Each structure stands twice: as C-alpha cells, then as structure tokens.
Amino acid sequence: FLPNGITITSKFNYQRGIEEDDQGNVSRSRHAAPAFGITRIDYKINKLQLQWYAMYSAAVSFDNLNIDERIKTAIYATDENGNPFSPSWLTLNFKALYQLSPAIGITAGIENLTDKRYRPYSSGLVAPGRNFILSLRTNF
C-alpha cells in the first residue's frame, strides 16, 4: 500500500504492576511506566534516509501514582489540586542520514520540534527544549 522506500513502524508498551509496602498498603508499582511508545515513518531513496517520528507517554494521575512517589513533589508536575502527577506528553522529531560513501555518513536532526515540556516517567528530568543533532559516522 505504501510507495517504494516508505516504511511505517510503531512500538507501544502497556504494563501494569501493583506493589505492597511494609504496612500492607497496595498501590501502583513505581517501576511500571505508563503506556508509552514510538511511531516512525521512514523514507529511503538512494543514499538519503529521512525519518519522522513521534515519542509519547500516557499520564499517571495522583490517584494512580505510587504512594511512595506522592511525596516526591520536586520531580512531578502538580495538578489543579496541588497534587503531584506525571502528565502525558508527545514529542515530534525529524532525522536525516546521507551516506557519503559505504563507510561514511552524515546525520542531522531535530528532536522535540514543538518545544513542549516532557518527562520520561521516573527519570527526574523535566524540560522543554529542542535538541539539534549533527554527526559524522564512519565504519572501519
């Protein structure tokens, strides 16, 4: 169905975990990330490869946040009631690779084109910002 040189791939992860603390309280496992994924559209023609991709993650509400995580207010956003939670997010990205020779390639790209705030679950890193990529790759 797709024109020559175009491929679409998508990976999606959904997991659920429950843990019990020493006091017998049961809550969502802090090590079970919310649903997340990546979807890519690749186009390859001759020595040029183009890739558009989106990375995304579902939210974790305060009520669904692990009990021990609720006290870590510094690494979570706050909801309308002032409670910590992990918001959903989406980044749109673009990369290109030009193969100068069989052994040398140049890669360039922009990550988070929309410059939106995002945070991979439990990473502690929350920020907007675009990433610009330029690299020279070689195989020997």
Side-chain angles (χ1 to χ4, degrees):
F1 297 128
L2 297 174
N4 284 344
I6 295 179
T7 58
I8 298 175
T9 58
S10 191
K11 294 179 182 181
F12 184 76
N13 179 292
Y14 174 80
Q15 55 187 314
R16 183 174 173 189
I18 296 175
E19 65 182 52
E20 183 177 336
D21 66 15
D22 294 338
Q23 291 75 36
N25 298 313
V26 176
S27 69
R28 178 181 195 278
S29 173
R30 64 187 152 176
H31 298 293
F36 67 92
I38 185 168
T39 300
R40 292 183 175 102
I41 299 172
D42 292 289
Y43 178 64
K44 184 175 181 180
I45 183 168
N46 301 324
K47 296 179 179 187
L48 179 64
Q49 288 180 267
L50 304 174
Q51 182 180 83
W52 295 269
Y53 63 101
M55 295 175 62
Y56 39 87
S57 178
V60 178
S61 67
F62 174 76
D63 292 334
N64 199 24
L65 199 61
N66 177 277
I67 292 170
D68 293 334
E69 293 297 298
R70 292 177 185 176
I71 62 172
K72 298 177 182 176
T73 56
I75 65 169
Y76 290 101
T78 52
D79 65 17
E80 62 278 355
N81 298 317
N83 295 318
F85 81 109
S86 182
S88 63
W89 55 266
L90 165 77
T91 63
L92 301 175
N93 313 281
F94 173 76
K95 288 185 183 172
L97 165 67
Y98 187 77
Q99 203 66 43
L100 295 169
S101 72
I104 300 173
I106 296 175
T107 302
I110 303 173
E111 296 175 324
N112 197 10
L113 285 161
T114 57
D115 196 21
K116 298 292 182 184
R117 177 184 186 271
Y118 71 99
R119 176 184 179 267
Y121 181 73
S122 197
S123 73
L125 303 173
V126 182
R130 288 185 192 96
N131 298 320
F132 295 92
I133 300 161
L134 182 60
S135 66
L136 178 65
R137 298 181 346 176
T138 185
N139 299 320
F140 52 90

